[in-house]
Amino acid sequence: RKEVEQDPGPFNVPEGATVAFNCTYSNSASQSFFWYRQDCRKEPKLLMSVYSSGNEDGRFTAQLNRASQYISLLIRDSKLSDSATYLCVVTANQAGTALIFGKGTTLSVSS
Amino acid sequence: DADVTQTPRNRITKTGKRIMLECSQTKGHDRMYWYRQDPGLGLRLIYYSFDVKDINKGEISDGYSVSRQAQAKFSLSLESAIPNQTALYFCATSDPSGRAADTQYFGPGTRLTVL
């Protein structure tokens, strides 16, 4: 089983749509979880950390289910500028000494 | 100014050449990382350093070496470049303390082509 698995997409949605991305991870020792955004040929940038209680930042909502080792990202009211690749990221161990990146899910929002 | 910078941004080199990629940061972070990204494979960790005296191998360190010259500088070297080292290379930093612990901040990347 791959350490962090994501549906690669692409997800093609119209502006205003709601879209959800899922991610599963294999290491039960992982303690920290993130969603990063990467635009084409650019560096990954932190979108949001994911907490056990779930967290929301504007149109973005992240959820974590430790029992199922499952992370999700919900984007509401999609904008053209949301088009990017979304990377699911978890720490490799309890010490957080390294991050494990998923291969990413590509989102394309069209007008 | 960018907090994490990488030089060069693009480099084309030939098989067998030695090449160094440099990373500098002004974030004051102790932890620094080198990754490579290949299409369809995601980011993979090459080396990481938690302070000037600490260097650790990552998932794919073979064929690479690193030097942590100072808290702010972390260089990646390819002693004898080969074509399958053609990739996009990213440097990153992190601060293990506080609410943003484990969050990594990336440089703009170096696109390396080995002919």
Side-chain angles (χ1 to χ4, degrees), chain A residues 93 97-98, chain B residues 31-35 45-51 54-59 66 68 74 104:
Chain A
N93 50 44
T97 52
Chain B
R31 297 184 174 186
M32 298 187 74
Y33 310 80
W34 275 104
Y35 293 90
L45 183 64
I46 305 172
Y47 271 95
Y48 61 101
S49 168
F50 282 176
D51 64 40
D54 177 78
I55 302 290
N56 304 280
K57 292 183 177 181
E59 178 187 354
V66 291
R68 185 81 184 267
F74 192 36
Q104 294 193 9

mmCIF file with all atom_site columns, all heavy atoms in Angstrom, chain A residues 93 97-98, chain B residues 31-35 45-51 54-59 66 68 74 104:
data_model
loop_
_atom_site.group_PDB
_atom_site.id
_atom_site.type_symbol
_atom_site.label_atom_id
_atom_site.label_alt_id
_atom_site.label_comp_id
_atom_site.label_asym_id
_atom_site.label_entity_id
_atom_site.label_seq_id
_atom_site.pdbx_PDB_ins_code
_atom_site.Cartn_x
_atom_site.Cartn_y
_atom_site.Cartn_z
_atom_site.occupancy
_atom_site.B_iso_or_equiv
_atom_site.pdbx_formal_charge
_atom_site.auth_seq_id
_atom_site.auth_comp_id
_atom_site.auth_asym_id
_atom_site.auth_atom_id
_atom_site.pdbx_PDB_model_num
ATOM 1   N N   . ASN A 1 93  ? 6.456  10.213 10.764 1.00 0.00 ? 93  ASN A N   1
ATOM 2   C CA  . ASN A 1 93  ? 6.546  9.550  12.059 1.00 0.00 ? 93  ASN A CA  1
ATOM 3   C C   . ASN A 1 93  ? 6.110  10.517 13.152 1.00 0.00 ? 93  ASN A C   1
ATOM 4   O O   . ASN A 1 93  ? 5.779  11.671 12.880 1.00 0.00 ? 93  ASN A O   1
ATOM 5   C CB  . ASN A 1 93  ? 7.975  9.069  12.313 1.00 0.00 ? 93  ASN A CB  1
ATOM 6   C CG  . ASN A 1 93  ? 8.989  10.181 12.065 1.00 0.00 ? 93  ASN A CG  1
ATOM 7   O OD1 . ASN A 1 93  ? 8.783  11.319 12.478 1.00 0.00 ? 93  ASN A OD1 1
ATOM 8   N ND2 . ASN A 1 93  ? 10.053 9.870  11.379 1.00 0.00 ? 93  ASN A ND2 1
ATOM 9   N N   . THR A 1 97  ? 9.846  14.191 11.578 1.00 0.00 ? 97  THR A N   1
ATOM 10  C CA  . THR A 1 97  ? 11.135 14.511 10.981 1.00 0.00 ? 97  THR A CA  1
ATOM 11  C C   . THR A 1 97  ? 11.097 14.577 9.467  1.00 0.00 ? 97  THR A C   1
ATOM 12  O O   . THR A 1 97  ? 12.039 15.037 8.852  1.00 0.00 ? 97  THR A O   1
ATOM 13  C CB  . THR A 1 97  ? 12.192 13.472 11.407 1.00 0.00 ? 97  THR A CB  1
ATOM 14  O OG1 . THR A 1 97  ? 11.674 12.161 11.129 1.00 0.00 ? 97  THR A OG1 1
ATOM 15  C CG2 . THR A 1 97  ? 12.489 13.575 12.888 1.00 0.00 ? 97  THR A CG2 1
ATOM 16  N N   . ALA A 1 98  ? 10.057 14.097 8.869  1.00 0.00 ? 98  ALA A N   1
ATOM 17  C CA  . ALA A 1 98  ? 9.968  14.164 7.413  1.00 0.00 ? 98  ALA A CA  1
ATOM 18  C C   . ALA A 1 98  ? 8.505  14.152 7.008  1.00 0.00 ? 98  ALA A C   1
ATOM 19  O O   . ALA A 1 98  ? 7.644  13.684 7.753  1.00 0.00 ? 98  ALA A O   1
ATOM 20  C CB  . ALA A 1 98  ? 10.707 12.990 6.773  1.00 0.00 ? 98  ALA A CB  1
ATOM 21  N N   . ARG B 2 31  ? 15.704 23.771 10.268 1.00 0.00 ? 31  ARG B N   1
ATOM 22  C CA  . ARG B 2 31  ? 15.535 22.572 9.448  1.00 0.00 ? 31  ARG B CA  1
ATOM 23  C C   . ARG B 2 31  ? 15.468 22.931 7.966  1.00 0.00 ? 31  ARG B C   1
ATOM 24  O O   . ARG B 2 31  ? 14.726 23.841 7.570  1.00 0.00 ? 31  ARG B O   1
ATOM 25  C CB  . ARG B 2 31  ? 14.272 21.820 9.870  1.00 0.00 ? 31  ARG B CB  1
ATOM 26  C CG  . ARG B 2 31  ? 14.348 21.316 11.299 1.00 0.00 ? 31  ARG B CG  1
ATOM 27  C CD  . ARG B 2 31  ? 13.146 20.485 11.672 1.00 0.00 ? 31  ARG B CD  1
ATOM 28  N NE  . ARG B 2 31  ? 13.317 19.887 13.003 1.00 0.00 ? 31  ARG B NE  1
ATOM 29  C CZ  . ARG B 2 31  ? 12.486 19.028 13.560 1.00 0.00 ? 31  ARG B CZ  1
ATOM 30  N NH1 . ARG B 2 31  ? 11.408 18.644 12.897 1.00 0.00 ? 31  ARG B NH1 1
ATOM 31  N NH2 . ARG B 2 31  ? 12.725 18.542 14.759 1.00 0.00 ? 31  ARG B NH2 1
ATOM 32  N N   . MET B 2 32  ? 16.231 22.178 7.177  1.00 0.00 ? 32  MET B N   1
ATOM 33  C CA  . MET B 2 32  ? 16.225 22.387 5.731  1.00 0.00 ? 32  MET B CA  1
ATOM 34  C C   . MET B 2 32  ? 16.189 21.039 5.026  1.00 0.00 ? 32  MET B C   1
ATOM 35  O O   . MET B 2 32  ? 16.668 20.031 5.555  1.00 0.00 ? 32  MET B O   1
ATOM 36  C CB  . MET B 2 32  ? 17.450 23.205 5.282  1.00 0.00 ? 32  MET B CB  1
ATOM 37  C CG  . MET B 2 32  ? 17.461 24.610 5.894  1.00 0.00 ? 32  MET B CG  1
ATOM 38  S SD  . MET B 2 32  ? 18.755 25.676 5.264  1.00 0.00 ? 32  MET B SD  1
ATOM 39  C CE  . MET B 2 32  ? 18.146 26.079 3.625  1.00 0.00 ? 32  MET B CE  1
ATOM 40  N N   . TYR B 2 33  ? 15.623 21.054 3.815  1.00 0.00 ? 33  TYR B N   1
ATOM 41  C CA  . TYR B 2 33  ? 15.340 19.816 3.086  1.00 0.00 ? 33  TYR B CA  1
ATOM 42  C C   . TYR B 2 33  ? 15.630 20.014 1.607  1.00 0.00 ? 33  TYR B C   1
ATOM 43  O O   . TYR B 2 33  ? 15.482 21.108 1.070  1.00 0.00 ? 33  TYR B O   1
ATOM 44  C CB  . TYR B 2 33  ? 13.854 19.440 3.226  1.00 0.00 ? 33  TYR B CB  1
ATOM 45  C CG  . TYR B 2 33  ? 13.323 19.434 4.631  1.00 0.00 ? 33  TYR B CG  1
ATOM 46  C CD1 . TYR B 2 33  ? 12.955 20.627 5.264  1.00 0.00 ? 33  TYR B CD1 1
ATOM 47  C CD2 . TYR B 2 33  ? 13.155 18.249 5.324  1.00 0.00 ? 33  TYR B CD2 1
ATOM 48  C CE1 . TYR B 2 33  ? 12.459 20.629 6.556  1.00 0.00 ? 33  TYR B CE1 1
ATOM 49  C CE2 . TYR B 2 33  ? 12.654 18.236 6.624  1.00 0.00 ? 33  TYR B CE2 1
ATOM 50  C CZ  . TYR B 2 33  ? 12.316 19.427 7.236  1.00 0.00 ? 33  TYR B CZ  1
ATOM 51  O OH  . TYR B 2 33  ? 11.807 19.422 8.508  1.00 0.00 ? 33  TYR B OH  1
ATOM 52  N N   . TRP B 2 34  ? 15.980 18.901 0.950  1.00 0.00 ? 34  TRP B N   1
ATOM 53  C CA  . TRP B 2 34  ? 16.033 18.875 -0.507 1.00 0.00 ? 34  TRP B CA  1
ATOM 54  C C   . TRP B 2 34  ? 15.117 17.769 -1.018 1.00 0.00 ? 34  TRP B C   1
ATOM 55  O O   . TRP B 2 34  ? 15.171 16.630 -0.541 1.00 0.00 ? 34  TRP B O   1
ATOM 56  C CB  . TRP B 2 34  ? 17.449 18.606 -1.013 1.00 0.00 ? 34  TRP B CB  1
ATOM 57  C CG  . TRP B 2 34  ? 18.295 19.826 -1.110 1.00 0.00 ? 34  TRP B CG  1
ATOM 58  C CD1 . TRP B 2 34  ? 19.293 20.230 -0.276 1.00 0.00 ? 34  TRP B CD1 1
ATOM 59  C CD2 . TRP B 2 34  ? 18.221 20.831 -2.129 1.00 0.00 ? 34  TRP B CD2 1
ATOM 60  N NE1 . TRP B 2 34  ? 19.835 21.402 -0.691 1.00 0.00 ? 34  TRP B NE1 1
ATOM 61  C CE2 . TRP B 2 34  ? 19.198 21.800 -1.837 1.00 0.00 ? 34  TRP B CE2 1
ATOM 62  C CE3 . TRP B 2 34  ? 17.427 20.994 -3.263 1.00 0.00 ? 34  TRP B CE3 1
ATOM 63  C CZ2 . TRP B 2 34  ? 19.397 22.922 -2.640 1.00 0.00 ? 34  TRP B CZ2 1
ATOM 64  C CZ3 . TRP B 2 34  ? 17.617 22.103 -4.066 1.00 0.00 ? 34  TRP B CZ3 1
ATOM 65  C CH2 . TRP B 2 34  ? 18.598 23.055 -3.741 1.00 0.00 ? 34  TRP B CH2 1
ATOM 66  N N   . TYR B 2 35  ? 14.275 18.135 -2.005 1.00 0.00 ? 35  TYR B N   1
ATOM 67  C CA  . TYR B 2 35  ? 13.362 17.199 -2.658 1.00 0.00 ? 35  TYR B CA  1
ATOM 68  C C   . TYR B 2 35  ? 13.604 17.242 -4.159 1.00 0.00 ? 35  TYR B C   1
ATOM 69  O O   . TYR B 2 35  ? 14.065 18.231 -4.709 1.00 0.00 ? 35  TYR B O   1
ATOM 70  C CB  . TYR B 2 35  ? 11.898 17.617 -2.443 1.00 0.00 ? 35  TYR B CB  1
ATOM 71  C CG  . TYR B 2 35  ? 11.387 17.541 -1.027 1.00 0.00 ? 35  TYR B CG  1
ATOM 72  C CD1 . TYR B 2 35  ? 11.494 18.631 -0.165 1.00 0.00 ? 35  TYR B CD1 1
ATOM 73  C CD2 . TYR B 2 35  ? 10.745 16.399 -0.565 1.00 0.00 ? 35  TYR B CD2 1
ATOM 74  C CE1 . TYR B 2 35  ? 10.994 18.578 1.126  1.00 0.00 ? 35  TYR B CE1 1
ATOM 75  C CE2 . TYR B 2 35  ? 10.237 16.335 0.727  1.00 0.00 ? 35  TYR B CE2 1
ATOM 76  C CZ  . TYR B 2 35  ? 10.369 17.423 1.557  1.00 0.00 ? 35  TYR B CZ  1
ATOM 77  O OH  . TYR B 2 35  ? 9.857  17.368 2.834  1.00 0.00 ? 35  TYR B OH  1
ATOM 78  N N   . LEU B 2 45  ? 12.002 12.921 -0.909 1.00 0.00 ? 45  LEU B N   1
ATOM 79  C CA  . LEU B 2 45  ? 13.015 13.537 -0.070 1.00 0.00 ? 45  LEU B CA  1
ATOM 80  C C   . LEU B 2 45  ? 14.394 12.964 -0.388 1.00 0.00 ? 45  LEU B C   1
ATOM 81  O O   . LEU B 2 45  ? 14.588 11.747 -0.395 1.00 0.00 ? 45  LEU B O   1
ATOM 82  C CB  . LEU B 2 45  ? 12.666 13.312 1.401  1.00 0.00 ? 45  LEU B CB  1
ATOM 83  C CG  . LEU B 2 45  ? 13.565 13.937 2.447  1.00 0.00 ? 45  LEU B CG  1
ATOM 84  C CD1 . LEU B 2 45  ? 13.529 15.465 2.353  1.00 0.00 ? 45  LEU B CD1 1
ATOM 85  C CD2 . LEU B 2 45  ? 13.131 13.481 3.842  1.00 0.00 ? 45  LEU B CD2 1
ATOM 86  N N   . ILE B 2 46  ? 15.362 13.860 -0.609 1.00 0.00 ? 46  ILE B N   1
ATOM 87  C CA  . ILE B 2 46  ? 16.725 13.447 -0.934 1.00 0.00 ? 46  ILE B CA  1
ATOM 88  C C   . ILE B 2 46  ? 17.593 13.467 0.330  1.00 0.00 ? 46  ILE B C   1
ATOM 89  O O   . ILE B 2 46  ? 18.203 12.462 0.697  1.00 0.00 ? 46  ILE B O   1
ATOM 90  C CB  . ILE B 2 46  ? 17.340 14.360 -2.006 1.00 0.00 ? 46  ILE B CB  1
ATOM 91  C CG1 . ILE B 2 46  ? 16.460 14.423 -3.247 1.00 0.00 ? 46  ILE B CG1 1
ATOM 92  C CG2 . ILE B 2 46  ? 18.736 13.857 -2.390 1.00 0.00 ? 46  ILE B CG2 1
ATOM 93  C CD1 . ILE B 2 46  ? 16.914 15.454 -4.270 1.00 0.00 ? 46  ILE B CD1 1
ATOM 94  N N   . TYR B 2 47  ? 17.664 14.609 0.969  1.00 0.00 ? 47  TYR B N   1
ATOM 95  C CA  . TYR B 2 47  ? 18.413 14.797 2.219  1.00 0.00 ? 47  TYR B CA  1
ATOM 96  C C   . TYR B 2 47  ? 17.690 15.829 3.069  1.00 0.00 ? 47  TYR B C   1
ATOM 97  O O   . TYR B 2 47  ? 16.956 16.671 2.556  1.00 0.00 ? 47  TYR B O   1
ATOM 98  C CB  . TYR B 2 47  ? 19.826 15.332 1.938  1.00 0.00 ? 47  TYR B CB  1
ATOM 99  C CG  . TYR B 2 47  ? 20.895 14.295 1.715  1.00 0.00 ? 47  TYR B CG  1
ATOM 100 C CD1 . TYR B 2 47  ? 21.232 13.896 0.425  1.00 0.00 ? 47  TYR B CD1 1
ATOM 101 C CD2 . TYR B 2 47  ? 21.594 13.740 2.786  1.00 0.00 ? 47  TYR B CD2 1
ATOM 102 C CE1 . TYR B 2 47  ? 22.233 12.951 0.209  1.00 0.00 ? 47  TYR B CE1 1
ATOM 103 C CE2 . TYR B 2 47  ? 22.588 12.795 2.577  1.00 0.00 ? 47  TYR B CE2 1
ATOM 104 C CZ  . TYR B 2 47  ? 22.901 12.399 1.287  1.00 0.00 ? 47  TYR B CZ  1
ATOM 105 O OH  . TYR B 2 47  ? 23.893 11.473 1.080  1.00 0.00 ? 47  TYR B OH  1
ATOM 106 N N   . TYR B 2 48  ? 17.950 15.764 4.379  1.00 0.00 ? 48  TYR B N   1
ATOM 107 C CA  . TYR B 2 48  ? 17.455 16.807 5.254  1.00 0.00 ? 48  TYR B CA  1
ATOM 108 C C   . TYR B 2 48  ? 18.471 17.065 6.373  1.00 0.00 ? 48  TYR B C   1
ATOM 109 O O   . TYR B 2 48  ? 19.301 16.205 6.691  1.00 0.00 ? 48  TYR B O   1
ATOM 110 C CB  . TYR B 2 48  ? 16.069 16.486 5.810  1.00 0.00 ? 48  TYR B CB  1
ATOM 111 C CG  . TYR B 2 48  ? 15.949 15.240 6.656  1.00 0.00 ? 48  TYR B CG  1
ATOM 112 C CD1 . TYR B 2 48  ? 15.904 15.313 8.040  1.00 0.00 ? 48  TYR B CD1 1
ATOM 113 C CD2 . TYR B 2 48  ? 15.815 13.985 6.051  1.00 0.00 ? 48  TYR B CD2 1
ATOM 114 C CE1 . TYR B 2 48  ? 15.760 14.181 8.814  1.00 0.00 ? 48  TYR B CE1 1
ATOM 115 C CE2 . TYR B 2 48  ? 15.670 12.841 6.816  1.00 0.00 ? 48  TYR B CE2 1
ATOM 116 C CZ  . TYR B 2 48  ? 15.630 12.947 8.194  1.00 0.00 ? 48  TYR B CZ  1
ATOM 117 O OH  . TYR B 2 48  ? 15.485 11.803 8.968  1.00 0.00 ? 48  TYR B OH  1
ATOM 118 N N   . SER B 2 49  ? 18.359 18.263 6.935  1.00 0.00 ? 49  SER B N   1
ATOM 119 C CA  . SER B 2 49  ? 19.311 18.703 7.954  1.00 0.00 ? 49  SER B CA  1
ATOM 120 C C   . SER B 2 49  ? 18.551 19.451 9.036  1.00 0.00 ? 49  SER B C   1
ATOM 121 O O   . SER B 2 49  ? 17.775 20.361 8.730  1.00 0.00 ? 49  SER B O   1
ATOM 122 C CB  . SER B 2 49  ? 20.354 19.619 7.307  1.00 0.00 ? 49  SER B CB  1
ATOM 123 O OG  . SER B 2 49  ? 21.124 20.274 8.282  1.00 0.00 ? 49  SER B OG  1
ATOM 124 N N   . PHE B 2 50  ? 18.777 19.070 10.285 1.00 0.00 ? 50  PHE B N   1
ATOM 125 C CA  . PHE B 2 50  ? 18.056 19.725 11.368 1.00 0.00 ? 50  PHE B CA  1
ATOM 126 C C   . PHE B 2 50  ? 18.871 20.838 12.016 1.00 0.00 ? 50  PHE B C   1
ATOM 127 O O   . PHE B 2 50  ? 18.343 21.627 12.777 1.00 0.00 ? 50  PHE B O   1
ATOM 128 C CB  . PHE B 2 50  ? 17.606 18.708 12.408 1.00 0.00 ? 50  PHE B CB  1
ATOM 129 C CG  . PHE B 2 50  ? 16.393 17.928 11.978 1.00 0.00 ? 50  PHE B CG  1
ATOM 130 C CD1 . PHE B 2 50  ? 15.897 16.909 12.751 1.00 0.00 ? 50  PHE B CD1 1
ATOM 131 C CD2 . PHE B 2 50  ? 15.742 18.216 10.788 1.00 0.00 ? 50  PHE B CD2 1
ATOM 132 C CE1 . PHE B 2 50  ? 14.780 16.189 12.357 1.00 0.00 ? 50  PHE B CE1 1
ATOM 133 C CE2 . PHE B 2 50  ? 14.630 17.506 10.374 1.00 0.00 ? 50  PHE B CE2 1
ATOM 134 C CZ  . PHE B 2 50  ? 14.143 16.488 11.173 1.00 0.00 ? 50  PHE B CZ  1
ATOM 135 N N   . ASP B 2 51  ? 20.165 20.848 11.776 1.00 0.00 ? 51  ASP B N   1
ATOM 136 C CA  . ASP B 2 51  ? 21.006 21.985 12.124 1.00 0.00 ? 51  ASP B CA  1
ATOM 137 C C   . ASP B 2 51  ? 22.328 21.809 11.396 1.00 0.00 ? 51  ASP B C   1
ATOM 138 O O   . ASP B 2 51  ? 22.505 20.848 10.646 1.00 0.00 ? 51  ASP B O   1
ATOM 139 C CB  . ASP B 2 51  ? 21.184 22.153 13.640 1.00 0.00 ? 51  ASP B CB  1
ATOM 140 C CG  . ASP B 2 51  ? 21.904 21.000 14.302 1.00 0.00 ? 51  ASP B CG  1
ATOM 141 O OD1 . ASP B 2 51  ? 22.878 20.463 13.723 1.00 0.00 ? 51  ASP B OD1 1
ATOM 142 O OD2 . ASP B 2 51  ? 21.499 20.614 15.414 1.00 0.00 ? 51  ASP B OD2 1
ATOM 143 N N   . ASP B 2 54  ? 23.958 18.428 11.599 1.00 0.00 ? 54  ASP B N   1
ATOM 144 C CA  . ASP B 2 54  ? 23.076 17.271 11.443 1.00 0.00 ? 54  ASP B CA  1
ATOM 145 C C   . ASP B 2 54  ? 22.658 17.111 9.989  1.00 0.00 ? 54  ASP B C   1
ATOM 146 O O   . ASP B 2 54  ? 22.017 17.994 9.413  1.00 0.00 ? 54  ASP B O   1
ATOM 147 C CB  . ASP B 2 54  ? 21.841 17.458 12.325 1.00 0.00 ? 54  ASP B CB  1
ATOM 148 C CG  . ASP B 2 54  ? 20.850 16.328 12.159 1.00 0.00 ? 54  ASP B CG  1
ATOM 149 O OD1 . ASP B 2 54  ? 21.089 15.254 12.735 1.00 0.00 ? 54  ASP B OD1 1
ATOM 150 O OD2 . ASP B 2 54  ? 19.840 16.514 11.445 1.00 0.00 ? 54  ASP B OD2 1
ATOM 151 N N   . ILE B 2 55  ? 23.048 15.994 9.362  1.00 0.00 ? 55  ILE B N   1
ATOM 152 C CA  . ILE B 2 55  ? 22.681 15.698 7.982  1.00 0.00 ? 55  ILE B CA  1
ATOM 153 C C   . ILE B 2 55  ? 22.094 14.284 7.959  1.00 0.00 ? 55  ILE B C   1
ATOM 154 O O   . ILE B 2 55  ? 22.671 13.364 8.549  1.00 0.00 ? 55  ILE B O   1
ATOM 155 C CB  . ILE B 2 55  ? 23.904 15.737 7.045  1.00 0.00 ? 55  ILE B CB  1
ATOM 156 C CG1 . ILE B 2 55  ? 24.585 17.106 7.091  1.00 0.00 ? 55  ILE B CG1 1
ATOM 157 C CG2 . ILE B 2 55  ? 23.487 15.357 5.619  1.00 0.00 ? 55  ILE B CG2 1
ATOM 158 C CD1 . ILE B 2 55  ? 23.802 18.225 6.447  1.00 0.00 ? 55  ILE B CD1 1
ATOM 159 N N   . ASN B 2 56  ? 20.983 14.121 7.256  1.00 0.00 ? 56  ASN B N   1
ATOM 160 C CA  . ASN B 2 56  ? 20.317 12.823 7.210  1.00 0.00 ? 56  ASN B CA  1
ATOM 161 C C   . ASN B 2 56  ? 19.927 12.473 5.793  1.00 0.00 ? 56  ASN B C   1
ATOM 162 O O   . ASN B 2 56  ? 19.474 13.344 5.038  1.00 0.00 ? 56  ASN B O   1
ATOM 163 C CB  . ASN B 2 56  ? 19.047 12.841 8.072  1.00 0.00 ? 56  ASN B CB  1
ATOM 164 C CG  . ASN B 2 56  ? 19.344 13.235 9.503  1.00 0.00 ? 56  ASN B CG  1
ATOM 165 O OD1 . ASN B 2 56  ? 19.793 12.436 10.302 1.00 0.00 ? 56  ASN B OD1 1
ATOM 166 N ND2 . ASN B 2 56  ? 19.113 14.500 9.815  1.00 0.00 ? 56  ASN B ND2 1
ATOM 167 N N   . LYS B 2 57  ? 20.055 11.213 5.452  1.00 0.00 ? 57  LYS B N   1
ATOM 168 C CA  . LYS B 2 57  ? 19.616 10.754 4.142  1.00 0.00 ? 57  LYS B CA  1
ATOM 169 C C   . LYS B 2 57  ? 18.101 10.625 4.116  1.00 0.00 ? 57  LYS B C   1
ATOM 170 O O   . LYS B 2 57  ? 17.477 10.229 5.085  1.00 0.00 ? 57  LYS B O   1
ATOM 171 C CB  . LYS B 2 57  ? 20.255 9.401  3.810  1.00 0.00 ? 57  LYS B CB  1
ATOM 172 C CG  . LYS B 2 57  ? 21.754 9.469  3.601  1.00 0.00 ? 57  LYS B CG  1
ATOM 173 C CD  . LYS B 2 57  ? 22.296 8.096  3.211  1.00 0.00 ? 57  LYS B CD  1
ATOM 174 C CE  . LYS B 2 57  ? 23.798 8.179  2.938  1.00 0.00 ? 57  LYS B CE  1
ATOM 175 N NZ  . LYS B 2 57  ? 24.351 6.853  2.536  1.00 0.00 ? 57  LYS B NZ  1
ATOM 176 N N   . GLY B 2 58  ? 17.569 10.936 2.950  1.00 0.00 ? 58  GLY B N   1
ATOM 177 C CA  . GLY B 2 58  ? 16.152 10.749 2.745  1.00 0.00 ? 58  GLY B CA  1
ATOM 178 C C   . GLY B 2 58  ? 15.885 9.488  1.948  1.00 0.00 ? 58  GLY B C   1
ATOM 179 O O   . GLY B 2 58  ? 16.686 8.559  1.930  1.00 0.00 ? 58  GLY B O   1
ATOM 180 N N   . GLU B 2 59  ? 14.767 9.494  1.274  1.00 0.00 ? 59  GLU B N   1
ATOM 181 C CA  . GLU B 2 59  ? 14.309 8.325  0.528  1.00 0.00 ? 59  GLU B CA  1
ATOM 182 C C   . GLU B 2 59  ? 15.210 7.965  -0.652 1.00 0.00 ? 59  GLU B C   1
ATOM 183 O O   . GLU B 2 59  ? 15.415 6.793  -0.960 1.00 0.00 ? 59  GLU B O   1
ATOM 184 C CB  . GLU B 2 59  ? 12.890 8.608  0.033  1.00 0.00 ? 59  GLU B CB  1
ATOM 185 C CG  . GLU B 2 59  ? 12.257 7.528  -0.794 1.00 0.00 ? 59  GLU B CG  1
ATOM 186 C CD  . GLU B 2 59  ? 10.914 7.973  -1.368 1.00 0.00 ? 59  GLU B CD  1
ATOM 187 O OE1 . GLU B 2 59  ? 10.440 9.086  -1.011 1.00 0.00 ? 59  GLU B OE1 1
ATOM 188 O OE2 . GLU B 2 59  ? 10.339 7.229  -2.177 1.00 0.00 ? 59  GLU B OE2 1
ATOM 189 N N   . VAL B 2 66  ? 25.202 16.510 0.181  1.00 0.00 ? 66  VAL B N   1
ATOM 190 C CA  . VAL B 2 66  ? 24.764 17.838 0.623  1.00 0.00 ? 66  VAL B CA  1
ATOM 191 C C   . VAL B 2 66  ? 25.816 18.438 1.536  1.00 0.00 ? 66  VAL B C   1
ATOM 192 O O   . VAL B 2 66  ? 26.664 17.741 2.093  1.00 0.00 ? 66  VAL B O   1
ATOM 193 C CB  . VAL B 2 66  ? 23.412 17.795 1.358  1.00 0.00 ? 66  VAL B CB  1
ATOM 194 C CG1 . VAL B 2 66  ? 22.276 17.455 0.405  1.00 0.00 ? 66  VAL B CG1 1
ATOM 195 C CG2 . VAL B 2 66  ? 23.463 16.831 2.529  1.00 0.00 ? 66  VAL B CG2 1
ATOM 196 N N   . ARG B 2 68  ? 25.780 21.613 4.623  1.00 0.00 ? 68  ARG B N   1
ATOM 197 C CA  . ARG B 2 68  ? 25.076 22.670 5.358  1.00 0.00 ? 68  ARG B CA  1
ATOM 198 C C   . ARG B 2 68  ? 26.136 23.648 5.849  1.00 0.00 ? 68  ARG B C   1
ATOM 199 O O   . ARG B 2 68  ? 26.747 23.492 6.896  1.00 0.00 ? 68  ARG B O   1
ATOM 200 C CB  . ARG B 2 68  ? 24.303 22.053 6.539  1.00 0.00 ? 68  ARG B CB  1
ATOM 201 C CG  . ARG B 2 68  ? 23.438 23.050 7.285  1.00 0.00 ? 68  ARG B CG  1
ATOM 202 C CD  . ARG B 2 68  ? 22.138 23.303 6.597  1.00 0.00 ? 68  ARG B CD  1
ATOM 203 N NE  . ARG B 2 68  ? 21.337 24.317 7.254  1.00 0.00 ? 68  ARG B NE  1
ATOM 204 C CZ  . ARG B 2 68  ? 20.397 24.069 8.175  1.00 0.00 ? 68  ARG B CZ  1
ATOM 205 N NH1 . ARG B 2 68  ? 20.164 22.822 8.539  1.00 0.00 ? 68  ARG B NH1 1
ATOM 206 N NH2 . ARG B 2 68  ? 19.714 25.048 8.709  1.00 0.00 ? 68  ARG B NH2 1
ATOM 207 N N   . PHE B 2 74  ? 22.062 25.584 2.453  1.00 0.00 ? 74  PHE B N   1
ATOM 208 C CA  . PHE B 2 74  ? 22.045 24.125 2.319  1.00 0.00 ? 74  PHE B CA  1
ATOM 209 C C   . PHE B 2 74  ? 22.199 23.821 0.840  1.00 0.00 ? 74  PHE B C   1
ATOM 210 O O   . PHE B 2 74  ? 21.337 24.163 0.033  1.00 0.00 ? 74  PHE B O   1
ATOM 211 C CB  . PHE B 2 74  ? 20.719 23.586 2.875  1.00 0.00 ? 74  PHE B CB  1
ATOM 212 C CG  . PHE B 2 74  ? 20.649 22.107 3.073  1.00 0.00 ? 74  PHE B CG  1
ATOM 213 C CD1 . PHE B 2 74  ? 21.752 21.368 3.488  1.00 0.00 ? 74  PHE B CD1 1
ATOM 214 C CD2 . PHE B 2 74  ? 19.441 21.434 2.887  1.00 0.00 ? 74  PHE B CD2 1
ATOM 215 C CE1 . PHE B 2 74  ? 21.657 20.001 3.704  1.00 0.00 ? 74  PHE B CE1 1
ATOM 216 C CE2 . PHE B 2 74  ? 19.344 20.060 3.101  1.00 0.00 ? 74  PHE B CE2 1
ATOM 217 C CZ  . PHE B 2 74  ? 20.445 19.344 3.508  1.00 0.00 ? 74  PHE B CZ  1
ATOM 218 N N   . GLN B 2 104 ? 6.283  23.090 6.040  1.00 0.00 ? 104 GLN B N   1
ATOM 219 C CA  . GLN B 2 104 ? 7.488  23.352 5.255  1.00 0.00 ? 104 GLN B CA  1
ATOM 220 C C   . GLN B 2 104 ? 7.238  24.452 4.240  1.00 0.00 ? 104 GLN B C   1
ATOM 221 O O   . GLN B 2 104 ? 6.157  24.541 3.653  1.00 0.00 ? 104 GLN B O   1
ATOM 222 C CB  . GLN B 2 104 ? 7.954  22.072 4.555  1.00 0.00 ? 104 GLN B CB  1
ATOM 223 C CG  . GLN B 2 104 ? 8.419  21.016 5.561  1.00 0.00 ? 104 GLN B CG  1
ATOM 224 C CD  . GLN B 2 104 ? 9.167  19.867 4.948  1.00 0.00 ? 104 GLN B CD  1
ATOM 225 O OE1 . GLN B 2 104 ? 9.522  19.865 3.787  1.00 0.00 ? 104 GLN B OE1 1
ATOM 226 N NE2 . GLN B 2 104 ? 9.444  18.855 5.767  1.00 0.00 ? 104 GLN B NE2 1
#
